[in-house]
Amino acid sequence: MSTHHPTPDACIACTTCVVNCPVARATPNYLGPRLIGPAYERFRLLGLAEETSLHYCSNCKNCDISCPHDVPVSTFNMMARAEYCRAHKPALRDWVLGHGELLAKLLRPLPAGLKNFGMLNPLTRRILDKFGISADAPMPAFAPARFRDQLARTYQGMQPRKVALFPGCFIDIYDPQTGFDLVWALNRAGYEVIIPREFSCCGLPMIANGFENDARANAARNLRAMRRMQEQGIPVLSSCPSCVLMLNRDVPEFFPDLVQKTCTPRVLDAQAFLLDCVERGELRLIPENDCAERVVYHAPCHLRAQGGGLPGYELLQQLPGIHVENADAGCCGISGSYGFKKEKYAIGMEVGAPLFDKVRRSGAGLSSSECGTCRLQLEHGAHKPSVHPVTLLRRVLEKTT
């Protein structure tokens, strides 16, 4: 990564991050964010060997959320992981989990049904388990076509304004319907949605699995596209909190030289943007509605780490006929690709157990969360459907018109 490097000296060893670390609570194998992050960083700066429990960090950012002195604990961990992976080649399993977008491109010639049979049948799952991807972990199914390709063929009407959408890999590859639910809401507010061709994976899965150079290449492409959008006065939105966090905060931390040469990324939370549309009168939430649905909402860790509130939850609260409860039960445990790994699956399920229990006991028929892998984990652990807030927004507004 760049020569820019945060200092561990702001850490006062208060252990607040340890108390709030879901992984440290779930397994004794992880020494905790304070020791692995700022404390051990001092040894790294002396050139000493890496502490072996580093790989247990899930990059959920709860250490960053809880630190009273704004120490970038997770950044130390991810920088250390990149350094370790420069000296020790990551496993093929980690490459696969870190490069979902590239894998989807390689498999593109195959029909979705064949891809999904190949990836999800019991025999393949056993083989993947030997390979290091848990046979018990929930796996998303490939969509028949990528969201961006479908959107390019979709007529959106004559809209007076434009927004650029950073779709994120989950919606783009596995869940186009959620993308179209967002496009529907934005069209209704008077915005045409475009996806610049350069937009690539935000790089978070690459960073989390140790592939710094690949994340850097993607950051360069994404920043070039963002600069073009900024020059044209077109706002960039994303409905995925992890993408927003990676692009707005992590890219400038990890690759400040790229930001200096290109532009400062500014990606807006799509749910916050829709709330602004409501406030400006561009999107009307019709109060008359005879539906009554109970929903339990889960705030993704990467959304809470941004410190900008819970716009998706606020949006649900404003929907007529929706009775929403904030689960407020911590991390779901999947942490992007972390919970798919064979040696981490049980840890992820242990981390998510309080949330699953809260969802099951809530009396709600379904849960809602902005993060695609959170929704996958919620359905797996709580055995109830989980949808994005914009899906509920569309469902309610279509019933009222």
Side-chain angles (χ1 to χ4, degrees):
M1 293 184 183
S2 79
T3 53
H4 166 81
H5 207 289
T7 173
D9 294 338
C11 175
I12 62 167
C14 69
T15 71
T16 301
C17 61
V18 180
V19 172
N20 287 280
C21 176
V23 176
R25 282 200 303 272
T27 175
N29 295 326
Y30 184 46
L31 297 184
R34 181 183 69 82
L35 280 173
I36 300 303
Y40 207 84
E41 186 66 15
R42 296 179 175 93
F43 293 108
R44 294 184 192 111
L45 294 172
L46 295 173
L48 300 183
E50 187 53 70
E51 212 299 314
T52 54
S53 77
L54 169 68
H55 70 94
Y56 278 99
C57 171
S58 70
N59 196 34
C60 70
K61 311 281 189 184
N62 278 285
C63 49
D64 298 347
I65 295 168
S66 61
C67 179
H69 292 276
D70 294 325
V71 177
V73 182
S74 68
T75 300
F76 290 127
N77 290 351
M78 292 305 103
M79 286 182 167
R81 188 169 293 173
E83 186 67 33
Y84 180 84
C85 290
R86 277 194 285 272
H88 306 82
K89 188 177 179 181
L92 180 59
R93 183 274 311 270
D94 294 340
W95 185 93
V96 169
L97 291 174
H99 295 79
E101 183 180 56
L102 180 55
L103 190 64
K105 285 179 181 176
L106 294 174
L107 295 174
R108 190 173 182 175
L110 300 176
L114 184 59
K115 284 187 285 193
N116 289 328
F117 175 77
M119 293 294 289
L120 304 176
N121 74 80
L123 176 60
T124 303
R125 293 307 303 270
R126 285 199 295 271
I127 293 171
L128 289 173
D129 193 78
K130 299 284 187 186
F131 178 63
I133 298 175
S134 173
D136 297 317
M139 293 285 280
F142 287 97
R146 289 183 71 176
F147 168 63
R148 66 177 67 204
D149 295 334
Q150 294 183 56
L151 183 65
R153 299 190 296 268
T154 301
Y155 177 66
Q156 299 183 48
M158 299 296 290
Q159 306 296 348
R161 297 171 293 274
K162 281 186 181 182
V163 291
L165 177 63
F166 190 93
C169 294
F170 196 88
I171 282 177
D172 204 18
I173 299 167
Y174 309 110
D175 188 21
Q177 185 54 56
T178 294
F180 279 112
D181 293 339
L182 175 60
V183 170
W184 181 90
L186 289 166
N187 288 168
R188 189 178 174 108
Y191 293 89
E192 178 191 353
V193 180
I194 62 171
I195 300 178
R197 65 186 181 279
E198 301 98 327
F199 276 171
S200 307
C201 172
C202 68
L204 184 59
M206 298 168 180
I207 286 288
N209 285 285
F211 296 91
E212 171 209 334
N213 288 336
D214 296 340
R216 181 182 177 86
N218 276 25
R221 280 194 295 273
N222 289 326
L223 287 171
R224 285 195 298 269
M226 284 182 205
R227 181 176 63 187
R228 200 171 73 250
M229 294 300 100
Q230 289 176 9
E231 289 169 351
Q232 295 176 25
I234 299 174
V236 178
L237 318 180
S238 182
S239 60
C240 174
S242 295
C243 293
V244 175
L245 181 67
M246 178 67 190
L247 294 166
N248 284 350
R249 193 183 83 178
D250 290 354
V251 164
E253 262 187 359
F254 295 148
F255 312 117
D257 57 319
L258 291 181
V259 170
Q260 189 174 16
K261 285 190 296 186
T262 316
C263 70
T264 300
R266 185 168 184 261
V267 183
L268 306 176
D269 181 286
Q271 293 66 243
F273 187 84
L274 288 172
L275 283 172
D276 289 342
C277 290
V278 173
E279 191 172 316
R280 291 192 296 264
E282 297 168 353
L283 182 65
R284 195 161 70 93
L285 304 182
I286 302 159
E288 299 83 17
N289 191 356
D290 59 0
C291 79
E293 188 163 20
R294 293 192 66 185
V295 178
V296 58
Y297 169 82
H298 165 62
C301 297
H302 288 176
L303 175 65
R304 292 185 292 109
Q306 294 172 54
L310 306 177
Y313 178 56
E314 291 177 42
L315 195 62
L316 292 176
Q317 286 179 307
Q318 293 195 27
L319 290 179
I322 295 291
H323 304 286
V324 60
E325 172 191 0
N326 185 355
D328 194 22
C331 181
C332 76
I334 200 165
S335 293
S337 61
Y338 186 87
F340 293 102
K341 298 178 180 180
K342 184 175 181 177
E343 73 279 15
K344 308 293 193 334
Y345 170 77
I347 296 172
M349 292 301 288
E350 177 70 21
V351 166
L355 173 62
F356 307 148
D357 186 58
K358 185 73 174 282
V359 172
R360 284 192 294 263
R361 291 191 295 106
S362 68
L366 75 166
S367 64
S368 184
S369 184
E370 294 93 333
C371 175
T373 51
C374 285
R375 295 196 299 276
L376 201 65
Q377 180 82 330
L378 278 164
E379 292 189 349
H380 178 63
H383 310 295
K384 288 186 179 184
S386 187
V387 298
H388 195 287
V390 297
T391 296
L392 284 169
L393 171 69
R394 181 177 186 178
R395 188 180 299 175
V396 168
L397 293 188
E398 280 190 324
K399 283 183 179 179
T400 60
T401 54

